[in-house]
Amino acid sequence: MTAVETPRVTGAAAPARPSVGRAFTALLWRDVFVTGREFVPFLLQVVLQPVFLLFVFGKVLVELGFTTSGYADVLLPGVVSLAAFLTALQNTAFPLVIDFSFTKEIEDRLLAPLPTALVAVEKVVFATLRALVAAAVMFPIGLWVLGSLPVTWSDVPVLVFFLVLGSLVGAAIGMTLGTFVKPNRINVVFAVVLTPLLFTGSTQFPWPALDQLRWFQVVCALNPLTYVSEALRAQMAPQVPHLSLTVCALALTGFLAVFGVLSLVGFRRRALD
């Protein structure tokens, strides 16, 4: 009786494990595809508040004579910064709370052939993309509401750099809140956090003009949104008092480092639970 050799499966014939880059791209594309199907509700959600802020303070009050026409140059950079920062923050925090507590959708993502940290990074990158879309939409809206737009093509690289950096900081803060705050308290925390962020982020006034209110100037300096607003204001309205681009870049980089580490620690802790 002769023995029959059974063919052995070599390593080359074994099914290939998806690469980390391919898995990361697939997760990101899935989120982008879902957003594309709900694009109109997404726009209404993220631009409604900034649009009314720009219309009332930059148009209505100017027409009524309560503010000067130059105030629109101060306000527009702040409104664009606000749209990007808050979109990144909210679109990271709220989905994470839902994924970790109710739908458990995060478990499907954690099963992907990715390190846990990269699953968190994908969430931050996706929120940043949504924030950049929200900021980009504000420019044609600003042109429509105000009648002019103080932006040239040479301004675009600097604006994009600071919008990306500010959106990353907003997304990192959102992930920190979404992973460290208990789900049943997230609404209370957002009510406490969002209002101070909105009114101390130098979106409606230049930060250097607060010299007469030193304590409030210090409070505003602790808000990362201030440095996004000041950077865009320095590029779009250089005649208005503003912080230097170098100071804004260093401050935002520091905030990103701090909240980036905290967000990854919080995400890993919730993922392991």
Side-chain angles (χ1 to χ4, degrees):
M1 186 173 180
T2 58
V4 180
E5 290 190 4
T6 304
R8 300 177 61 187
V9 179
T10 62
R17 179 183 177 87
S19 66
V20 170
R22 187 175 178 181
F24 184 90
T25 304
L27 279 181
L28 185 60
W29 169 247
R30 175 189 177 278
D31 289 334
V32 171
F33 179 77
V34 171
T35 298
R37 296 180 60 181
E38 302 175 352
F39 190 67
V40 173
F42 160 69
L43 283 184
L44 292 176
Q45 175 190 0
V46 300
V47 305
L48 209 56
Q49 183 184 44
V51 165
F52 275 99
L53 189 65
L54 185 63
F55 178 72
V56 172
F57 286 90
K59 185 71 173 179
V60 175
L61 294 185
V62 171
E63 293 291 334
L64 294 177
F66 291 104
T67 59
T68 62
S69 58
Y71 182 61
D73 295 336
V74 175
L75 184 63
L76 181 59
V79 170
V80 175
S81 304
L82 179 67
F85 191 86
L86 287 190
T87 298
L89 193 154
Q90 291 176 322
N91 281 269
T92 308
F94 281 123
L96 274 176
V97 171
I98 296 173
D99 290 349
F100 275 119
S101 59
F102 302 111
T103 65
K104 298 296 183 181
E105 183 181 341
I106 198 67
E107 294 180 357
D108 296 336
R109 295 174 180 272
L110 293 174
L111 291 175
L114 282 175
T116 302
L118 282 185
V119 178
V121 170
E122 188 274 334
K123 287 280 190 182
V124 170
V125 171
F126 174 60
T128 300
L129 292 178
R130 290 173 70 110
L132 293 178
V133 171
V137 170
M138 289 307 304
F139 286 100
I141 290 176
L143 178 61
W144 172 60
V145 173
L146 303 177
S148 63
L149 200 61
V151 178
T152 63
W153 286 110
S154 61
D155 298 324
V156 172
V158 175
L159 296 180
V160 170
F161 173 78
F162 280 100
L163 284 172
V164 170
L165 189 55
S167 299
L168 287 172
V169 174
I173 294 175
M175 179 165 290
T176 302
L177 293 175
T179 53
F180 279 99
V181 177
K182 294 181 179 180
N184 60 342
R185 295 184 179 177
I186 191 65
N187 289 331
V188 176
V189 171
F190 260 85
V192 172
V193 169
L194 286 186
T195 300
L197 277 176
L198 174 62
F199 289 103
T200 64
S202 300
T203 57
Q204 302 162 20
F205 46 81
W207 186 85
L210 296 173
D211 287 338
Q212 303 301 321
L213 290 172
R214 180 64 67 179
W215 68 269
F216 190 61
Q217 190 177 48
V218 172
V219 171
C220 292
L222 300 176
N223 187 344
L225 178 56
T226 291
Y227 302 97
V228 189
S229 302
E230 286 294 301
L232 266 63
R233 194 170 286 126
Q235 194 66 27
M236 297 171 63
Q239 74 280 5
V240 177
H242 56 265
L243 290 173
S244 70
L245 294 178
T246 302
V247 170
C248 295
L250 291 175
L252 288 172
T253 302
F255 279 115
L256 181 59
V258 171
F259 285 103
V261 171
L262 288 176
S263 63
L264 291 178
V265 170
F267 186 89
R268 180 175 177 81
R269 180 179 65 87
R270 291 297 301 273
L272 294 178
D273 288 344

